[in-house]
Amino acid sequence: MHADRPPRPDQVYLFGTCLIDLFVPQAGVDAVRLLEREGLTVHFPRAQSCCGQPAFTSGNPDEARRVAAAQIALFDQPWPIVVPSGSCAGMMRHHWPTLFDDDPVMQARARDVAGRVYELAGFLVDVLHVDYSAASAEPVTVGLHTSCSARREMGTRAHGVQLLSALPGVTLDTHANESECCGFGGVFSLKHADISGAIVRDKVASLSAVCERFVTADCGCMLNISHAAEHQGRALRGEHLATFLLRRLEGEA
């Protein structure tokens, strides 16, 4: 084992995120199945809810603190916490400890939990070292969208590229606006709808120029881009990375 590699666990938690729970439950189920394929036991605390990011980014730290404290209490075992969303993972890893600057006991607990948080793609690559060379070789061309938080806070764009590029039959096309926001940004899209709409129009046009299917590990971005494309009458549709990977592994084109 390399000294800089974390040990391979046999048990993990899954933090499912609000959007997966309410809008894209299949992505959560597929994330569990990907982890179970690697021999892991996946624990899903049923009382989990939100990571607190909407309150935090809206300038409501007290509400965010209450939400985070409720989640922290659920992950008491020393297992990795896998999150199929770079946005939520970024909130949990980088911002939860800052919510408790005035509470050393809770801050210590928050830091312990934060240190065990992994975004799904990063976990598959860096911890599990997955080998998907036996996946379906049915030819397909896809684009990749990496959310702002996944790219800048969790550094997981490279993991998404590595996973997709290693899949037999998959051609990954890079679009012109690949590094730019999709315009969602959670409550940003509600507070600044005109700006959000303009950003996603550019994103849809950029992706549509290279593919009709894109993959992302963040459901907020996926829903935003896909619904905007549908509204514009474009064929572009998105799929969560977990679902795309599992379909290829199970031989479904």
Side-chain angles (χ1 to χ4, degrees), residues 12-248:
V12 297
Y13 287 113
L14 184 82
F15 185 83
T17 85
C18 301
L19 289 177
I20 285 180
D21 180 45
L22 295 173
F23 296 106
V24 198
Q26 191 62 49
V29 172
D30 292 340
V32 170
R33 291 169 66 189
L34 282 177
L35 297 170
E36 289 178 340
R37 282 179 62 95
E38 300 301 317
L40 276 61
T41 298
V42 182
H43 300 267
F44 184 84
R46 296 295 297 272
Q48 65 180 274
S49 59
C50 179
C51 69
Q53 186 181 49
F56 182 73
T57 56
S58 296
N60 298 299
D62 290 340
E63 288 82 354
R65 190 176 301 111
R66 285 194 291 270
V67 172
Q71 308 312 302
I72 289 169
L74 302 174
F75 301 100
D76 56 340
Q77 296 298 315
W79 305 323
I81 303 164
V82 182
V83 188
S85 164
S87 178
C88 298
M91 176 66 192
M92 297 164 73
R93 172 169 283 200
H94 297 291
H95 301 295
W96 273 7
T98 70
L99 292 171
F100 301 99
D101 286 339
D102 297 328
D103 186 338
V105 173
M106 275 303 301
Q107 187 171 67
R109 294 178 65 189
R111 284 175 174 166
D112 169 67
V113 171
R116 293 186 277 124
V117 168
Y118 292 86
E119 188 269 344
L120 175 64
F123 188 76
L124 292 174
V125 172
D126 288 340
V127 180
L128 298 185
H129 316 295
V130 295
D131 179 4
Y132 291 161
S133 59
S136 168
E138 181 74 18
V140 63
T141 298
V142 298
L144 173 67
H145 170 76
T146 308
S147 76
C148 299
S149 294
R151 174 186 289 268
R152 295 174 176 86
E153 289 189 328
M154 298 301 291
T156 58
R157 175 189 177 273
H159 301 109
V161 171
Q162 183 173 335
L163 287 168
L164 294 174
S165 299
L167 286 172
V170 174
T171 299
L172 178 61
D173 272 357
T174 302
H175 55 288
N177 288 11
E178 197 269 343
S179 65
E180 297 182 12
C181 178
C182 77
F184 177 58
V187 294
F188 171 83
S189 62
L190 301 176
K191 293 183 175 180
H192 305 284
D194 290 343
I195 299 173
S196 174
I199 294 172
V200 76
R201 282 194 294 274
D202 288 345
K203 177 64 72 169
V204 168
S206 177
L207 278 166
S208 296
V210 300
C211 63
E212 292 188 350
R213 180 186 299 179
F214 72 94
V215 178
T216 180
D218 281 80
C219 284
C221 302
M222 183 187 79
L223 293 170
N224 189 45
I225 298 170
S226 294
H227 290 165
E230 184 177 9
H231 183 71
Q232 296 174 33
R234 294 181 181 265
L236 181 69
R237 293 295 180 269
E239 191 168 36
H240 193 278
L241 177 67
T243 300
F244 181 80
L245 291 175
L246 191 65
R247 287 198 305 102
R248 302 295 296 187

